[in-house]
Amino acid sequence: MKKEKSRLAFPHVMILLILLALISCLLTYIIPAGTYQFDENGYVVPGSFAYVENTPVSPVQAVIKLTSSIASMGTTYALLFIVGGMVSVMISSGAVENLVDYSIFRLEDKSLKVLIPCISVLMSILGGLAGNDAMITFVACGMLLARRTKLDRISGMAIFYLPYITGQAIGPTVLMILMCQEMAGIPAVSGLTVRIVIWIVFTAFVAFYNTHYALKVAKDPSKSIDGEILSLSAEEQMKAEKTTRLKISSVVSILMMILPFVIYAYGSSRYSWGFEYLISLAFVSAIILGIVFHYTPNDWAKRFCAGAAQMGPVCLLIGFSKLISVILADGHVINTIANAALMIIQRMGASFSAIGMFVFTTLFNLLMPSGPAKVPILMPLFTPVADILGITRQVLCTCYQLGDGLTNFLTPVSSVLATGLILSETKYSKWLRYAVPYALILIAFSCVCIFSLQAAGWTGI
């Protein structure tokens, strides 16, 4: 039986990425190659699509491209290493355990009903202001919370991961919407009121979804999708029961972990800060945490390096994720797929075309999760079609932003999702059982919003 289960086991995320890379190679042989002309700013020139000679990428060439794919993500690796080290310094101090244990003691049987919605709102705010890949390291805190409250791995991952991705999907100041609005020629951060309303609805739903599942598992562990309930050892349980006082250092440490993202959110929207600022802020925060907890220099270094080391496998998977995008781009099939979809979309009416752009971006995101990489390709193509059909530029930007964000917690090509699965040790197949219904509900709601906003002629200016 054990051997049978082993043969039928769902493939590891890395195996999935390798298979997707091979499928991408196959597509470069099957789909006709096409290309667009680009202007001096690197943007696509509308109407310039033309078929070209196929440039298929063989599996051997794909393996050779792996080195450059991994190397190209250097800034992301630096971000994950530093933030991973910062989170490790904080977690190893026992601050999270103290805060959770105190909350459980004070709230008693209402702890989950209060903690999970509060965390969901906080993470959604951070994601909506300036969400970025480094926030996935908060999943480590979620696993501690799951152990303390006797939940499963899916709850531990979802409580911190799902809200920040959801907030990012409609956040008014994230890089994605700022890039779209700049290319569409409308003021940055315009349409703020409508986006905040949609963000509130999304945030309320993710808080409800996560809390409902957690309470269901807490009440009946057999309802767990993961099938395994996490718990404390006998020694840890005794220690938790004695925790009745909240330490000031615990509160300070939580604030120091959140503060870099808050400062970066302000700086990125006002001064166009890049990731180098967040990396610097996170490193300074890690140093301050070491001072707060009176670590010796050597002790601090060991804790920091241990957290950074956990990001090693994650960085490897990010490189493999990037390889898939490189294969499709070098094979010139991405442009062909985009052009074919555009021909179909422009035949619809204005409101339904807006939904079509959203749906296409959503599906396209499964192949290329990197939002900034898709902007120079899709926005110049969508903009003239939107103008001809009477779709407002504000609605167009919203279509792109929502389409780019609402499948990031589903696609195996997403390096952020792969990171969360590794940190929580959650199987991808079980995660899909949890996340797919959630995504479908948000996608349906987004279609209603887009249709209504276009029908109302929303300009947001």
Side-chain angles (χ1 to χ4, degrees):
M1 287 297 295
K2 288 183 178 180
K3 290 183 179 180
E4 183 68 19
K5 287 183 179 180
S6 177
R7 285 198 297 268
L8 296 176
F10 196 84
H12 187 276
V13 176
M14 185 168 182
I15 301 301
L16 278 177
L17 292 175
I18 293 173
L19 291 174
L20 287 172
L22 292 175
I23 293 173
S24 299
C25 289
L26 179 62
L27 290 177
T28 63
Y29 285 91
I30 297 175
I31 299 176
T35 185
Y36 285 98
Q37 294 179 14
F38 293 82
D39 61 21
E40 62 276 6
N41 297 317
Y43 299 146
V44 168
V45 177
S48 64
F49 178 80
Y51 289 104
V52 296
E53 183 180 353
N54 271 33
T55 55
V57 178
S58 68
V60 173
Q61 291 174 316
V63 173
I64 295 174
K65 293 176 184 293
L66 182 59
T67 299
S68 59
S69 299
I70 293 175
S72 67
M73 301 300 291
T75 301
T76 301
Y77 300 153
L79 182 64
L80 288 173
F81 283 139
I82 298 300
V83 176
M86 177 193 73
V87 172
S88 175
V89 170
M90 191 274 297
I91 288 179
S92 63
S93 69
V96 175
E97 291 95 324
N98 175 245
L99 188 61
V100 173
D101 291 342
Y102 178 77
S103 299
I104 294 173
F105 170 76
R106 296 290 296 178
L107 298 169
E108 297 179 346
D109 59 336
K110 297 179 181 179
S111 57
L112 291 179
K113 295 179 182 178
V114 175
L115 277 176
I116 297 178
C118 289
I119 292 172
S120 296
V121 172
L122 174 62
M123 295 304 294
S124 183
I125 290 173
L126 290 175
L129 290 175
N132 58 78
D133 294 352
M135 292 180 68
I136 192 61
T137 53
F138 282 98
V139 168
C141 300
M143 300 313 296
L144 286 174
L145 177 62
R147 291 178 62 222
R148 242 60 185 179
T149 53
K150 297 182 179 179
L151 296 175
D152 60 4
R153 298 181 187 280
I154 287 178
S155 285
M157 176 174 169
I159 290 169
F160 281 85
Y161 171 60
L162 215 53
Y164 102 74
I165 289 289
T166 301
Q168 193 176 32
I170 192 58
T173 61
V174 293
L175 175 63
M176 186 55 49
I177 190 60
L178 298 178
M179 289 179 65
C180 289
Q181 289 177 329
E182 179 184 1
M183 290 195 64
I186 57 179
V189 201
S190 57
L192 185 63
T193 302
V194 170
R195 286 194 171 80
I196 289 177
V197 170
I198 299 175
W199 172 84
I200 290 173
V201 175
F202 278 21
T203 301
F205 181 65
V206 71
F208 165 78
Y209 195 82
N210 282 340
T211 305
H212 174 72
Y213 177 77
L215 291 174
K216 183 172 65 174
V217 171
K219 183 178 180 180
D220 183 1
S222 66
K223 300 291 185 181
S224 168
I225 294 175
D226 184 61
E228 179 185 357
I229 302 300
L230 304 178
S231 61
L232 303 175
S233 65
E235 182 180 349
E236 289 174 328
Q237 185 64 41
M238 291 180 61
K239 181 180 178 182
E241 291 174 354
K242 295 179 180 178
T243 302
T244 58
R245 184 175 63 86
L246 180 63
K247 299 177 182 178
I248 298 299
S249 59
S250 297
V251 177
V252 172
S253 66
I254 298 297
L255 291 175
M256 289 308 304
M257 187 174 69
I258 296 173
L259 196 58
F261 294 95
V262 174
I263 296 175
Y264 172 73
Y266 175 79
S268 63
S269 61
R270 187 171 181 84
Y271 303 111
S272 301
W273 284 359
F275 276 164
E276 65 272 14
Y277 286 89
L278 178 57
I279 293 171
S280 302
L281 289 168
F283 185 70
V284 171
S285 180
I287 294 175
I288 295 174
L289 286 171
I291 296 172
V292 169
F293 292 107
H294 307 291
Y295 294 147
T296 65
N298 283 346
D299 191 23
W300 176 87
K302 289 178 182 178
R303 293 169 190 259
F304 185 88
C305 290
Q310 290 182 336
M311 297 296 109
V314 171
C315 292
L316 180 62
L317 292 182
I318 290 175
F320 275 88
S321 299
K322 178 65 176 179
L323 175 63
I324 296 170
S325 298
V326 171
I327 292 171
L328 294 175
D330 288 357
H332 296 98
V333 298
I334 284 291
N335 295 331
T336 304
I337 295 171
N339 183 70
L342 195 65
M343 295 300 101
I344 298 173
I345 290 171
Q346 65 185 8
R347 297 172 186 170
M348 307 175 183
S351 295
F352 286 104
S353 291
I355 294 175
M357 291 178 180
F358 161 68
V359 171
F360 171 70
T361 307
T362 298
L363 297 175
F364 199 76
N365 194 60
L366 295 174
L367 294 176
M368 185 183 286
S370 174
K374 294 195 298 289
V375 169
I377 297 174
L378 296 184
M379 282 299 291
L381 301 178
F382 284 167
T383 301
V385 174
D387 290 344
I388 293 172
L389 295 175
I391 299 173
T392 71
R393 296 286 182 94
Q394 200 68 254
V395 171
L396 172 62
C397 292
T398 304
C399 291
Y400 183 90
Q401 184 185 18
L402 288 171
D404 174 69
L406 294 183
T407 50
N408 281 334
F409 43 79
L410 296 179
T411 172
V413 181
S414 170
S415 57
V416 181
L417 174 57
T419 302
L421 295 175
I422 290 176
L423 293 177
S424 63
E425 298 181 6
T426 301
K427 292 183 179 179
Y428 179 60
S429 57
K430 294 182 177 180
W431 172 254
L432 286 181
R433 287 178 57 192
Y434 181 81
V436 167
Y438 174 80
L440 291 177
I441 293 172
L442 285 188
I443 288 172
F445 177 75
S446 297
C447 288
V448 174
C449 287
I450 291 169
F451 186 92
S452 302
L453 292 172
Q454 175 56 35
W458 176 56
T459 60
I461 300 174

